[in-house]
Amino acid sequence: MNIQLIREQFPSLSLRSSDRPTVFFDNAAGTQVARQCIDRLNQYFLYFNANSGGVFETSRCSDEIIETCRQRVADFIGVKDPKEVAFGPNMTTLTQAFARAFGRLCHPGDEIITTSLEHEANISPWLGLAKERGVKVRFVDINLDDMTINLDSLQKQLSTRTRLVAVGYASNAFGTVNPIEKVAKLAHSVGALCFVDAVHYSPHGLIDVTELGCDVLVYSVYKAFGPHVGVIWGRRKTMEALDTFHLRTVKNIIPDKFEVGTQNHEGIAGALGSLEYFESLPSLLGQEVVENATCAERLRLAMTSIREYEKTISKKLLEVFAKHSHVKVYGITNPARLNERVPTFAINVNNHSAKEVATKLATLGINVWSGNYYALEPMTRLGLEEKGGAVRISLVHYNTFEEIDLLDQALGSLK
Ligand SMILES: Cc1ncc(COP(=O)(O)O)c(C=O)c1O
């Protein structure tokens, strides 16, 4: 993959911090955006800024952009019917809205299963239902040695009372990729729905809801090279059955019943730009693409190449961490298991708090996160919550081997 060419598509990657090139290893908290995204945002404000449903040109164009983006998101996640895709502010808000509506169908004694590996946005909304609807929330255990979910534990907790199994596609703290197909099958074996938080996986690889077999999937576009917009997809049957908290003036149809209030139109235009970036990748990289390949096929090719490149950076990072005996990595470290992770690493450095390490790296122009990054449950399980959590080094496909060398030197200086 020609990373230099890719980096040229992201204007902010040329930023400098304290007169050094900024190294963006904070991607799990939000990636930088592609030029196509910025162009779409600008274009929206310059030419199409209007509310929805008007009979005049700017409104019609604005609606057309939103529907084009809906179709592209459907292509991005392998959905046939774009009406099954709804926009919102972010994953958390959409998950809360889904949970509240789903709660209206639940009865005391019903059960929801989540896992101890989750971001809090895939836990608190379900705990909210425990309070409001008397639903019991169960947690799937995790294997602390490699931060994977324990499928035996899931199997044991499933019963005819289970209504929904909520699971992350990838951990935003440890980079673990969860076996969603297996989880969905297990959920369905007791008649429960499978709800997937794909926020952390979305910039890293191909999402195909048909292959995954899940029922609902949510993500936030700003984690995948776009603006602050959220997406929820759900099977028509599932979404139509929900009694959402929409206004009387909104039709009780999908996607309208999920899109409460005026949407972030410019953000949705930008989201379209970020998907156009992905689509442009195969040609940009000189990959052989059939001339009349569909958007969905181009997206598939792009995401597959990204996933392959990222495995090489994960491997290199693991080699760097292994060199430094004062660095502890939580999660999968076996280079033979790169398929089971994305390049997101939680580490700690002997004799330094996570915050001290992040602060030191910031002085060197390396942006990383420290703390729990809302992965409260797994941090607590690891006993790290009271100790300040861990440093999160999270890379995406625009990061380079040279940047990893800089991290290597920085870690060396923290001995
Ligand atoms: C795995 C995961 N799930 C959910 C969220 C919540 O996303 P948002 O803040 O966009 O609602 C995040 C954000 O960091 C995340 O990483």
Side-chain angles (χ1 to χ4, degrees), residues 109-395:
D110 284 349
E111 295 186 355
I112 288 177
I113 300 180
T114 181
T115 88
S116 294
L117 195 60
E118 302 306 305
H119 183 283
E120 198 54 25
N122 202 17
I123 294 179
S124 285
W126 316 119
L127 292 178
L129 288 191
K131 242 192 207 163
E132 275 178 24
R133 311 288 305 179
V135 166
K136 184 173 166 65
V137 178
R138 291 178 170 272
F139 285 82
V140 173
D141 280 341
I142 49 179
N143 306 309
L144 292 177
D145 53 339
D146 61 1
M147 299 311 278
T148 53
I149 57 170
N150 185 323
L151 286 180
D152 290 340
S153 161
L154 169 60
Q155 189 116 39
K156 280 194 197 117
Q157 313 219 33
L158 286 166
S159 78
T160 51
R161 290 186 299 276
T162 315
R163 300 292 312 277
L164 181 135
V165 178
V167 62
Y169 199 159
S171 159
N172 71 311
F174 310 98
T176 323
V177 175
N178 289 322
I180 303 297
E181 285 179 56
K182 287 187 185 154
V183 174
K185 278 201 184 105
L186 286 169
H188 293 162
S189 70
V190 294
L193 295 179
C194 177
F195 178 99
V196 175
D197 166 5
V199 173
H200 191 64
Y201 191 76
S202 61
H204 296 296
L206 179 74
I207 298 175
D208 185 330
V209 295
T210 311
E211 281 170 18
L212 294 175
C214 55
D215 303 285
V216 184
L217 181 136
V218 276
Y219 74 98
S220 285
V221 181
Y222 70 96
K223 307 279 194 185
F225 318 106
H228 292 86
V229 167
V231 167
I232 185 165
W233 162 81
R235 287 183 198 284
R236 180 175 277 274
K237 204 171 100 201
T238 306
M239 300 311 242
E240 283 183 343
L242 294 178
D243 186 6
T244 55
F245 289 73
H246 62 266
L247 307 186
R248 284 191 306 176
T249 40
V250 169
K251 286 191 193 140
N252 190 26
I253 55 170
I254 58 165
D256 304 40
K257 65 194 227 176
F258 281 93
E259 294 184 343
V260 289
T262 307
Q263 293 299 304
N264 176 357
H265 295 177
E266 63 278 16
I268 295 172
L272 174 59
S274 64
L275 292 170
E276 287 167 341
Y277 159 71
F278 283 135
E279 271 165 46
S280 73
L281 267 186
S283 311
L284 185 75
L285 298 173
Q287 284 176 332
E288 223 172 278
V289 258
V290 194
E291 210 155 283
N292 49 5
T294 62
C295 295
E297 286 161 349
R298 285 172 199 270
L299 286 168
R300 192 170 261 271
L301 258 176
M303 299 318 289
T304 310
S305 314
I306 285 174
R307 182 88 175 103
E308 285 315 306
Y309 171 66
E310 286 193 2
K311 282 182 196 162
T312 67
I313 49 180
S314 285
K315 184 165 174 281
K316 162 103 180 168
L317 270 166
L318 284 173
E319 284 162 12
V320 165
F321 295 140
K323 260 174 52 183
H324 296 290
S325 57
H326 59 304
V327 171
K328 157 95 184 138
V329 183
Y330 306 94
I332 295 169
T333 51
N334 181 347
R337 295 176 64 194
L338 296 176
N339 250 339
E340 295 173 65
R341 67 146 44 258
V342 293
T344 303
F345 294 84
I347 65 163
N348 265 320
V349 178
N350 278 355
N351 305 321
H352 295 277
S353 71
K355 189 152 186 199
E356 274 167 19
V357 176
T359 308
K360 164 78 182 173
L361 293 181
T363 63
L364 300 171
I366 304 176
N367 297 0
V368 300
W369 220 259
S370 66
N372 69 20
Y373 5 96
Y374 286 21
L376 171 66
E377 193 66 26
M379 284 294 171
T380 306
R381 297 279 169 131
L382 277 171
L384 291 177
E385 184 53 22
E386 316 77 60
K387 297 182 188 155
V391 181
R392 179 175 66 187
I393 316 252
S394 74
L395 279 66

